[in-house]
């Protein structure tokens, strides 16, 4: 059974700081990995999707890496802003076909202080 | 593109009543939709996978007679919580899959059962 762990559970940083969020998964046989953002009481916004054959994806100030063999992914946020404050979720899709389910971590609650 | 809506965004009902939640993909056709449940400060737990025109596949521990799922078209799936009780109070989120790869999430529905 796939298990996804995110460290740290919470992180508070001053505005402008670069930061890294960590995600690990137990079964390396994945189809892809996604990073999401969730604001309080809201749904999920997809940030980055990395296919199993890829090593990293970038979007603006965000960079996500994937090391499938070691079961790890990181989300790097450059020059953090108060608007980045949210819960960040990591999810992996199993390799049992394209319709296989996503398994989520519990998330990292990020607070960026002005 | 790839917008998913949910209706209602929140609902309060009396114990014993049934509540229907709609999930719509607004600008794409989704052959597969997923229903998740999220408790406070917890991650998303997959409840069921819904394929258009066929019966939903429920995760272990999810009562299919309690949580009725209908996926009547390529843009609409519904979740009906039957005979709701206070323990069913939660945040329900749907997602729709596009291109056999990425899932796009709705904004969620907050259910409170009194």
């Amino acid at each position: 059974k796939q298990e996804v762990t995110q460290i740290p559970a919470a992180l508070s940083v001053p505005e402008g700081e670069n930061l890294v969020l960590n995600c690990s998964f137990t079964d390396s046989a994945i189809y892809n990995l996604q990073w999401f953002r969730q604001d309080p009481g809201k749904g999920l916004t997809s940030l980055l999707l990395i296919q199993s054959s890829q090593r990293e994806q970038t979007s603006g100030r965000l960079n996500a890496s994937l090391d499938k063999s070691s079961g790890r992914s990181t989300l790097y946020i450059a020059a953090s802003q108060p608007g980045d404050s949210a819960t960040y979720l990591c999810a992996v899709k199993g390799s049992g076909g394209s319709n296989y389910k996503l398994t989520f971590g519990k998330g990292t609650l990020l607070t960026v202080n002005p | 593109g790839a917008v998913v809506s949910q209706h209602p965004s929140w609902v309060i009902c009396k114990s014993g009543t049934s509540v229907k939640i709609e999930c719509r993909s607004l600008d794409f056709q989704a052959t597969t939709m997923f229903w998740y449940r999220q408790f406070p400060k917890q991650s998303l737990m997959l409840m069921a996978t819904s394929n258009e025109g066929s019966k939903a596949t429920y995760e272990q521990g999810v009562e299919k007679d309690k949580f009725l799922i209908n996926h009547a078209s390529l843009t609409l799936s519904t979740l009906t919580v039957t005979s709701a009780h206070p323990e069913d109070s939660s945040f329900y989120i749907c997602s729709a899959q596009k291109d056999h790869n990425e899932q796009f999430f709705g904004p969620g529905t907050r259910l409170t059962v009194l």
Side-chain angles (χ1 to χ4, degrees):
Chain A
K1 179 184 175 184
Q2 179 74 272
E3 292 183 2
V4 179
T5 303
Q6 291 187 245
I7 296 173
L11 180 64
S12 181
V13 301
E15 181 177 4
E17 192 164 295
N18 303 325
L19 59 100
V20 175
L21 307 181
N22 297 289
C23 172
S24 62
F25 45 96
T26 55
D27 185 350
S28 61
I30 64 170
Y31 188 81
N32 61 39
L33 182 146
Q34 272 183 278
W35 282 93
F36 296 90
R37 169 186 174 140
Q38 185 176 30
D39 292 289
K42 304 294 184 182
L44 275 64
T45 300
S46 180
L47 298 174
L48 291 165
L49 182 149
I50 310 177
Q51 301 293 353
S52 62
S53 59
Q54 297 175 323
R55 297 284 292 183
E56 66 176 345
Q57 282 287 336
T58 299
S59 176
R61 294 183 293 109
L62 305 178
N63 176 276
S65 68
L66 173 64
D67 185 341
K68 196 174 75 165
S69 61
S70 68
R72 297 184 179 184
S73 176
T74 61
L75 178 66
Y76 174 83
I77 302 177
S80 59
Q81 303 170 358
D84 295 331
S85 298
T87 296
Y88 290 80
L89 295 166
C90 167
V92 296
K93 173 178 278 191
S95 60
S98 60
N99 287 333
Y100 212 69
K101 62 184 180 181
L102 286 175
T103 302
F104 283 84
K106 291 187 177 181
T108 294
L109 176 61
L110 173 65
T111 302
V112 181
N113 301 302
Chain B
V3 178
V4 177
S5 70
Q6 278 184 246
H7 178 80
S9 56
W10 60 271
V11 57
I12 301 173
C13 69
K14 293 182 178 180
S15 184
T17 61
S18 294
V19 175
K20 180 184 285 188
I21 303 170
E22 293 185 349
C23 176
R24 293 181 185 272
S25 55
L26 299 185
D27 52 359
F28 67 98
Q29 293 186 328
T31 55
T32 305
M33 290 184 171
F34 303 83
W35 286 96
Y36 297 83
R37 184 173 181 177
Q38 185 178 34
F39 292 103
K41 300 189 185 300
Q42 297 295 316
S43 191
L44 277 72
M45 297 298 296
L46 180 66
M47 299 174 66
T49 302
S50 169
N51 290 294
E52 187 265 338
S54 63
K55 291 183 178 180
T57 301
Y58 290 81
E59 294 298 300
Q60 189 174 10
V62 178
E63 300 176 59
K64 60 182 179 181
D65 295 329
K66 172 78 171 173
F67 299 99
L68 301 179
I69 292 173
N70 182 275
H71 193 161
S73 76
L74 288 172
T75 59
L76 173 65
S77 177
T78 61
L79 168 67
T80 301
V81 183
T82 62
S83 186
H85 291 283
E87 58 266 30
D88 298 324
S89 298
S90 189
F91 193 55
Y92 292 88
I93 305 177
C94 74
S95 71
Q97 186 164 271
K98 176 183 177 184
D99 299 331
H100 306 291
N101 194 5
E102 188 171 357
Q103 289 184 28
F104 296 90
F105 286 77
T109 297
R110 172 73 59 192
L111 171 63
T112 302
V113 184
L114 302 176

